[in-house]
Amino acid sequence: MQSKTLRRLLAALLLLLLAAAGSTASASVLVLVHGYLGDGQSFQRAGVVPALEAAGWRYAGDWRAGADGQPQRVGPDVRGEQIVYTVTLPANAPLALQADWLTVMRNAAARQHPGQPMTLVGHSAGGVVGRLSLVRGGAGSVTHLITIASPHLGTERAVQALQATDNRGLFAPFRQIVTRQVVGGGNYDAIRQSRAVLVDLAPPTGSNLLGWLNLQDHPDITYDAVVRNTGFRMGGDILVPAWSQDLNQVPALRGRASVIPSPLEHGLDADDARLILERMATRVAAS
């Protein structure tokens, strides 16, 4: 607990130094994309948005699907030069549908801030959704993609979850009982309802989503991959191996991405705000 508190204090200090130095872009929009079964509050709960606000960014709300099928923003009406949004995507839907919603939402956000470059930050599956949105919908105002612990080459955990919740076969009832006891009834139901997402997060083959996506032309923007390498594991985190988090392992992006090692576990952390701002500052300095 003490080490985590110290890490948060150091992160806060570094964020203040970044803000004081004015090292981020003078006019930028950040769009934060949640991961598997997350929502627009994921970055809030983890402390990422508060840390960005402490560094001078202004939170302008959460984009989500409205009842009329159009994107709507829930939050304050904020304008300025350093704006951050979250999005809430249909978390149980296939990744292609989530990506199309993200395209609509980021385009709506861009209309609120004409001429300002946009950085997409995707955590876990959100990083794959971000790439898919860029490939299917074009870059638009996006000039920078940062992914955090994202399974760009899939994860066997998705395959295991699919197998554990498969209700077919002679032993399916027994498997269902055991799995419910291990993961909990609510988690089991959530996994069952999101099988389309898990299928999309399986390792790439010649006939699945990642197999297709990883061979497509990607926009000519800058790419950064935050790769978790946790303590005793040093090969990724508990959900996604490090090589799968590395954008340079994607055939279409080989040699085009920077890799930023992070000693944290898979989940978001307030320290991720520091990594985001450092990468944005680096890209601005290099441009």
Side-chain angles (χ1 to χ4, degrees):
M1 181 64 70
Q2 289 181 344
S3 61
K4 186 173 184 179
T5 301
L6 178 60
R7 189 174 69 242
R8 288 181 180 273
L9 288 172
L10 290 173
L13 177 59
L14 287 169
L15 285 166
L16 288 172
L17 290 173
L18 281 170
S23 56
T24 54
S26 60
S28 297
V29 178
L30 262 173
V31 176
L32 308 179
V33 187
H34 62 78
Y36 173 63
L37 297 185
D39 57 32
Q41 292 298 304
S42 297
F43 287 86
Q44 294 273 16
R45 290 189 292 266
V48 176
V49 170
L52 290 170
E53 290 180 307
W57 289 74
R58 303 180 69 191
Y59 180 63
D62 183 61
W63 289 94
R64 58 188 65 174
D68 59 356
Q70 298 298 315
Q72 67 175 15
R73 182 180 55 82
V74 178
D77 187 15
V78 173
R79 297 291 189 275
E81 295 188 334
Q82 294 179 326
I83 301 297
V84 57
Y85 291 102
T86 55
V87 299
T88 293
L89 301 172
N92 291 335
L95 294 191
L97 180 56
Q98 295 191 43
D100 289 348
W101 264 113
L102 175 58
T103 299
V104 172
M105 292 171 182
R106 62 180 172 86
N107 287 343
R111 288 192 293 271
Q112 300 288 323
H113 310 277
Q116 293 185 220
M118 179 180 293
T119 295
L120 281 184
V121 178
H123 171 243
S124 190
V128 179
V129 172
R131 278 204 298 128
L132 191 53
S133 171
L134 293 169
V135 167
R136 287 170 64 92
S141 62
V142 177
T143 61
H144 190 182
L145 173 67
I146 302 173
T147 66
I148 302 173
S150 295
H152 297 294
L153 274 73
T155 171
E156 287 297 332
R157 298 297 189 188
V159 177
Q160 293 167 356
L162 286 168
Q163 293 171 341
T165 55
D166 189 348
N167 60 8
R168 298 170 299 176
L170 179 63
F171 297 102
F174 174 75
R175 186 167 57 244
Q176 178 178 348
I177 292 172
V178 172
T179 305
R180 277 185 173 276
Q181 290 178 340
V182 171
V183 304
N187 290 334
Y188 177 89
D189 292 337
I191 295 171
R192 282 286 307 165
Q193 293 163 10
S194 61
R195 287 177 63 84
V197 183
L198 295 170
V199 168
D200 287 342
L201 294 176
T205 68
S207 59
N208 69 2
L209 177 75
L210 286 178
W212 173 84
L213 174 61
N214 289 352
L215 296 177
Q216 302 306 301
D217 288 337
H218 285 53
D220 186 17
I221 64 173
T222 55
Y223 296 89
D224 288 320
V226 175
V227 176
R228 303 296 206 212
N229 278 293
T230 54
F232 66 91
R233 199 169 290 107
M234 294 307 293
D237 57 47
I238 195 170
L239 296 179
V240 185
W243 51 265
S244 184
Q245 300 177 38
D246 182 356
L247 279 166
N248 289 303
Q249 299 301 317
V250 174
L253 290 174
R254 193 154 288 148
R256 293 172 58 184
S258 294
V259 174
I260 303 92
S262 168
L264 305 177
E265 269 293 353
H266 185 79
L268 286 166
D269 187 276
D271 189 57
D272 288 319
R274 175 186 61 81
L275 295 178
I276 292 167
L277 295 185
E278 283 183 350
R279 295 318 301 170
M280 294 182 70
T282 298
R283 294 304 188 182
V284 170
S287 62

